[in-house]
Amino acid sequence: MKYYIILIMACILTFTSCNRVMDTKPLNTYTGSDVWSNYDLAQGYIYECYSNCMGYIFSWNYDAITKSVRNHPWGGAFTSEKTEQIDRNNDEGWSAFGNIRRVNLVLKNTSTAPFTAVQKSTFNGEALFLRAAIYSNLAFRFGGVQLVKEVLSVESDFNIPRSSLKDTYDFILSDLDSAANLLPQTNERGRATKGAAYALKMRVALQAGAYLNDNNYYRAVRAAGDKLFALGQYNLDDYSNLFNAYSSAVASTENILILERKNTNTDFTSTPMQWLVCNSDQISSKLTAAAMQKYPLKESIEGWMNYAPTQDLVDDYLVTDTDGKEKKWDQTSYITTAGSAYEKMYKNRDKRFYASIVCDSSKYFGNWAYLRADGNASSNVQPLNGGNINGGASVTGYLFAKYVYQAKKLWYSDPTDFCYSVLRLGEAYLNYAEACIRLGDEGAARTYITKTYQTHGGFKNAIISANEDLWNDYRRERHIEMILETGDRYWSLLRWGMQLTGGLKQGYENTGMAIPELNGKQHGIAISSDGKSYQVFEMNEQNGQPLKFTPKRYLFPVPQAKIIALPSLSQNAGW
């Protein structure tokens, strides 16, 4: 069967190895036989697969479903999901099968291609890795799904039923085992390696263990982690290097797999920066007279505010108190001895706080950001009573610094480089720690939690807690370590809730745990104009509703339109 490969060029603008081939005839005239008889064209096709598929495993804004992130008036996704105003007609990402076909085409065609054994092995390993990435995304959202293992033709039977959750997870993990065997230990930047296969397996097996209530999957997490760590090629880096500058992110030895965007085809609107940065200027249409006088801006800030951190997130960044111990900010001696709100709350925090959060009186691009009453970066809504009047400022008292590069002024149409962290060692350590807790090995869990706690958090003490206190320390550590990465906060809350219910079982939509961190009101902080007093306040979501989670949402609904089109598909419980 012949098929036409269109738009390869869009995905290989930064890869010059294909130039010789691309100069020979019009791009849209290349057939499947052309592609799989020429290594450069086949590599271009692989690049296209990466472009289409990588988004399934980094999902930077998916944490907006949780209390940790507040959607803002200028935009922001997932408000309907987090207030549970969705029904069976919603499509939460079911339609991924076109990309599954794309990677299956690689597996079909490389066997007869005139490539070296190493080239074939790498292509097949990458295809299996990407197929596992797509299916892991589907399994996290929907549970068991249709498993398409081969390229379908017009003569194929498309009446493929959903596989069980166990069969789906086992298929994914099998693909990752095969990928790890085929992939090289090192590859071009942004392409899968053995380490990437091991790291993704750890993430997937951890979720499978909770939903299937099976310790064998936690053992698989540990086994994959042992292989990953034995490679000896990844090291924890300074946290800010991963998220606050492009040059340090792409060079970091902590990153196992990245998605890199070059300024030749990327501007600020194509990155999280545009949606995390506020919008403010020294003009009366944006700031009150009091704000311009008290807290003037040196340069305009041109983001399109969609998301901001909440007090619910900020509370989990610990403070080193005068006695050298780490504590919650409201339990330190600074609460009674310090004079300003900044000194009470924001001094001596976890290093990740400063790399992730912009709080009141923080350096912000070429300015000092004030998120207090009359502040230049806080909304004028009550009780903040900030100085920004155009809806483009924080309603929580905070902004995100994570994934924001402040060295260059943000302007929506300007070109910029950007680097997403897709898989990294810090997450792998925490996945390993959680599996150890589930298997009763608290000593190993403490060792691996301490790694990120000390290196990324900057703390001198080690994690020494046990039992329930250890579990709480782990949950807090994961919250602040992984915010805005891969939807980790949301998937972790589901996983932990499912662990308490004993796994996915008949009737879970009625008997499963309704997760507290996904229910109720979010919190912000309002600081007085003089910066001395403050109040923590409650707020609903952007649509005026509190967060709502009922147990049926442990799995999203299969879109009803898909079931109508293919009646053999079953609907998830409760929808």
Side-chain angles (χ1 to χ4, degrees):
M1 179 184 71
K2 288 192 175 184
Y3 51 92
Y4 289 90
I5 309 300
I6 303 173
L7 297 179
I8 294 176
M9 185 62 81
C11 300
I12 58 174
L13 288 173
T14 60
F15 298 96
T16 59
S17 61
C18 298
N19 286 349
R20 288 193 318 278
V21 178
M22 293 305 168
D23 290 339
T24 59
K25 61 180 178 177
L27 183 66
N28 63 0
T29 65
Y30 285 98
T31 65
S33 59
D34 289 330
V35 170
W36 299 109
S37 63
N38 184 287
Y39 178 75
D40 287 337
L41 280 176
Q43 188 162 235
Y45 183 80
I46 292 290
Y47 294 148
E48 183 184 20
C49 288
Y50 275 99
S51 178
N52 290 329
C53 300
M54 286 281 277
Y56 292 109
I57 52 171
F58 70 86
S59 304
W60 72 271
N61 62 344
Y62 218 72
D63 285 343
I65 301 181
T66 74
K67 281 186 177 179
S68 303
V69 181
R70 172 55 155 77
N71 287 346
H72 274 59
W74 277 22
F78 311 118
T79 297
S80 296
E81 287 83 353
K82 74 192 297 184
T83 58
E84 209 161 276
Q85 297 188 7
I86 59 174
D87 59 27
R88 61 172 56 192
N89 295 308
N90 280 67
D91 188 341
E92 299 293 338
W94 181 270
S95 302
F97 293 94
N99 285 323
I100 292 170
R101 175 181 174 81
R102 289 184 178 94
V103 295
N104 281 342
L105 283 167
V106 178
L107 298 170
K108 175 183 178 181
N109 286 286
T110 50
S111 60
T112 58
F115 307 151
T116 68
V118 171
Q119 289 169 338
K120 289 182 180 182
S121 177
T122 300
F123 280 168
N124 283 332
E126 289 176 299
L128 289 166
F129 175 86
L130 291 172
R131 187 168 72 178
I134 299 168
Y135 269 116
S136 66
N137 179 280
L138 291 172
F140 279 30
R141 282 165 169 73
F142 303 106
V145 294
Q146 297 165 286
L147 298 180
V148 182
K149 304 176 183 180
E150 299 175 348
V151 177
L152 301 179
S153 68
V154 291
E155 294 83 19
S156 299
D157 181 6
F158 286 83
N159 190 29
I160 302 171
R162 295 177 67 185
S163 293
S164 70
L165 183 66
K166 178 174 172 50
D167 286 348
T168 299
Y169 272 119
D170 287 348
F171 176 70
I172 298 165
L173 297 175
S174 176
D175 268 2
L176 290 170
D177 285 338
S178 299
N181 289 330
L182 293 168
L183 286 165
Q185 187 167 329
T186 60
N187 205 344
E188 289 181 346
R189 197 161 75 194
R191 295 177 69 173
T193 59
K194 287 186 184 297
Y198 295 142
L200 184 57
K201 183 176 180 180
M202 295 177 76
R203 182 188 295 175
V204 173
L206 194 64
Q207 207 76 4
Y211 273 70
L212 294 168
N213 191 27
D214 187 339
N215 283 351
N216 285 323
Y217 293 98
Y218 300 129
R219 296 186 185 97
V221 174
R222 289 190 61 159
D226 290 336
K227 292 178 180 179
L228 173 66
F229 307 151
L231 294 176
Q233 66 187 101
Y234 308 106
N235 301 282
L236 291 182
D237 197 356
D238 187 283
Y239 196 78
S240 63
N241 286 343
L242 294 164
F243 304 108
N244 298 139
Y246 164 81
S247 58
S248 58
V250 296
S252 177
T253 57
E254 179 167 340
N255 277 322
I256 299 169
L257 182 65
I258 62 171
L259 176 62
E260 181 181 1
R261 300 290 300 273
K262 296 296 292 179
N263 61 22
T264 50
N265 59 356
T266 304
D267 57 30
F268 278 101
T269 59
S270 304
T271 74
M273 292 187 279
Q274 189 70 48
W275 315 107
L276 296 176
V277 172
C278 71
N279 187 285
S280 197
D281 202 351
Q282 191 75 2
I283 54 177
S284 59
S285 61
K286 293 187 179 181
L287 291 179
T288 63
M292 288 190 285
Q293 180 181 5
K294 293 179 180 179
Y295 310 110
L297 289 165
K298 291 184 177 180
E299 68 177 25
S300 61
I301 308 170
E302 301 291 347
W304 297 342
M305 190 77 196
N306 277 204
Y307 308 106
T310 62
Q311 192 67 40
D312 305 276
L313 168 61
V314 168
D315 282 346
D316 271 352
Y317 293 91
L318 297 181
V319 178
T320 301
D321 204 353
T322 52
D323 61 3
K325 296 180 180 179
E326 297 87 40
K327 303 173 185 176
K328 291 274 192 173
W329 68 269
D330 57 356
Q331 298 171 6
T332 68
S333 62
Y334 305 123
I335 291 296
T336 56
T337 62
S340 69
Y342 186 92
E343 291 173 329
K344 290 176 185 290
M345 294 185 287
Y346 304 133
K347 285 184 63 177
N348 302 315
R349 278 275 176 116
D350 186 311
K351 286 173 58 178
R352 288 166 292 192
F353 175 80
Y354 306 106
S356 303
I357 307 294
V358 176
C359 64
D360 183 71
S361 305
S362 294
K363 193 75 168 58
Y364 194 49
F365 294 96
N367 302 291
W368 286 95
Y370 291 94
L371 290 119
R372 59 181 66 179
D374 295 328
N376 54 29
S378 55
S379 174
N380 67 338
V381 299
Q382 292 184 344
L384 273 79
N385 300 315
N388 190 291
I389 58 177
N390 73 335
S394 174
V395 301
T396 67
Y398 299 101
L399 299 164
F400 274 113
K402 189 170 181 176
Y403 271 143
V404 176
Y405 306 158
Q406 297 186 36
K408 176 184 175 182
K409 178 181 173 179
L410 185 152
W411 182 255
Y412 74 100
S413 60
D414 280 358
T416 185
D417 297 318
F418 196 76
C419 177
Y420 297 92
S421 181
V422 180
L423 293 162
R424 61 181 179 89
L425 187 62
E427 180 199 351
Y429 281 159
L430 293 179
N431 289 340
Y432 197 91
E434 185 170 332
C436 289
I437 291 174
R438 291 301 165 193
L439 294 171
D441 189 351
E442 290 194 349
R446 284 189 287 270
T447 296
Y448 282 92
I449 301 168
T450 296
K451 290 179 183 294
T452 56
Y453 185 73
Q454 291 182 335
T455 303
H456 288 163
F459 296 123
K460 294 181 180 179
N461 297 317
I463 297 293
I464 60 173
S465 51
N467 302 319
E468 191 65 23
D469 289 338
L470 176 62
W471 179 239
N472 289 334
D473 284 344
Y474 168 74
R475 284 167 57 102
R476 184 189 63 246
E477 178 69 11
R478 188 168 193 118
H479 188 194
I480 60 177
E481 175 76 16
M482 294 298 297
I483 194 66
L484 293 188
E485 294 180 68
T486 74
D488 187 84
R489 178 61 174 171
Y490 183 65
W491 303 126
S492 292
L493 288 171
L494 294 188
R495 183 173 68 252
W496 301 335
M498 190 57 71
Q499 285 164 346
L500 289 175
T501 70
L504 193 64
K505 55 191 176 183
Q506 188 66 31
Y508 76 94
E509 73 281 9
N510 297 316
T511 61
M513 177 182 175
I515 301 168
E517 296 92 339
L518 296 176
N519 275 291
K521 295 180 182 292
Q522 298 167 285
H523 297 85
I525 195 157
I527 300 173
S528 63
S529 185
D530 62 7
K532 293 183 178 180
S533 61
Y534 59 88
Q535 69 172 108
V536 174
F537 64 92
E538 293 183 332
M539 70 185 111
N540 286 324
E541 237 313 308
Q542 179 195 77
N543 61 356
Q545 300 297 314
L547 277 68
K548 180 181 179 182
F549 176 92
T550 57
K552 68 179 181 181
R553 192 150 60 86
Y554 277 107
L555 295 174
F556 281 126
V558 178
Q560 190 64 20
K562 305 297 181 182
I563 295 177
I564 293 172
L566 190 65
S568 62
L569 293 179
S570 58
Q571 183 57 270
N572 282 331
W575 297 101

